[in-house]
């Protein structure tokens, strides 16, 4: 037997990635226009993140507060799911926020902070809030 290995031609093949159409409906993840946002807190009242929306761009998203760590990240999945469900039902982004306010329950692991609906010039302002240690 030879000590030299023959190259495997499959390792030299070009890989083609074709984006598949479809998938669940999603709001756009960016808006440079004014957005409305809500503060979401845990049972102790500590802010864990923000839900934002803009109807004109059909955009909305969940932003975890970095200082909240893994726990805030995990609790945020609930808010991201609410956005996905609202989009699947054809609800406008700000109507999804209004629904979240109506359905918020402080006894859950996270809830909308009452009276926290605020407007910002764009989503980047909300991103900067999520990046700081205190809201």
């Amino acid at each position: 037997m030879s000590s030299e290995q023959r190259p495997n031609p499959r390792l030299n093949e070009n890989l083609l990635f074709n984006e598949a159409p479809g998938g669940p409906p999603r709001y756009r993840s960016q808006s440079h226009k004014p957005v409305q946002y809500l503060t979401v807190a845990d049972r102790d009242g500590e802010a864990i993140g923000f839900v934002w929306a803009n109807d004109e761009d059909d955009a909305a998203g969940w932003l975890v507060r970095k200082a909240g760590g893994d726990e805030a990240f995990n609790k945020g999945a609930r808010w991201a799911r609410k956005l996905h469900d609202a989009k699947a039902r054809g609800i406008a982004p700000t109507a999804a926020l209004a629904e979240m306010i109506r359905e918020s329950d402080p006894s859950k692991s996270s809830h909308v902070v009452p009276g926290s609906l605020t407007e910002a010039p764009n989503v980047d302002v909300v991103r900067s809030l999520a990046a700081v240690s205190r809201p």
Side-chain angles (χ1 to χ4, degrees), residues 1 11 14 24 26 38 44 47 52 55 63 68 74-75 102-103 109 111 120 123 128:
M1 267 178 84
L11 297 177
N14 287 332
R26 305 263 190 222
L38 300 170
D44 298 328
W52 63 271
D55 288 345
L63 296 169
N74 292 335
K75 288 177 181 175
R102 282 192 309 275
E103 296 176 356
S109 64
H111 64 279
V123 71
S128 66

Side-chain angles (χ1 to χ4, degrees), residues 7-20:
N8 184 336
R10 294 196 62 185
L11 297 177
N12 295 324
E13 291 177 12
N14 287 332
L15 297 177
L16 300 175
F17 294 99
N18 297 318
E19 187 174 334

Side-chain angles (χ1 to χ4, degrees), residues 92-104:
T94 57
L97 294 185
E99 190 174 82
M100 290 178 194
I101 292 168
R102 282 192 309 275
E103 296 176 356
S104 186

Side-chain angles (χ1 to χ4, degrees), residues 8-56:
N8 184 336
R10 294 196 62 185
L11 297 177
N12 295 324
E13 291 177 12
N14 287 332
L15 297 177
L16 300 175
F17 294 99
N18 297 318
E19 187 174 334
R26 305 263 190 222
Y27 293 116
R28 292 187 55 211
S29 61
Q30 183 63 34
S31 177
H32 296 290
K33 297 180 173 100
V35 298
Q36 293 181 10
Y37 70 94
L38 300 170
T39 302
V40 176
D42 63 14
R43 280 193 183 117
D44 298 328
E46 190 70 29
I48 63 166
F50 306 93
V51 185
W52 63 271
N54 171 282
D55 288 345
E56 192 176 346

Side-chain angles (χ1 to χ4, degrees), residues 53-72:
N54 171 282
D55 288 345
E56 192 176 346
D57 287 335
D58 194 39
W62 160 256
L63 296 169
V64 67
R65 188 171 151 249
K66 302 294 185 236
D70 293 340
E71 190 173 341

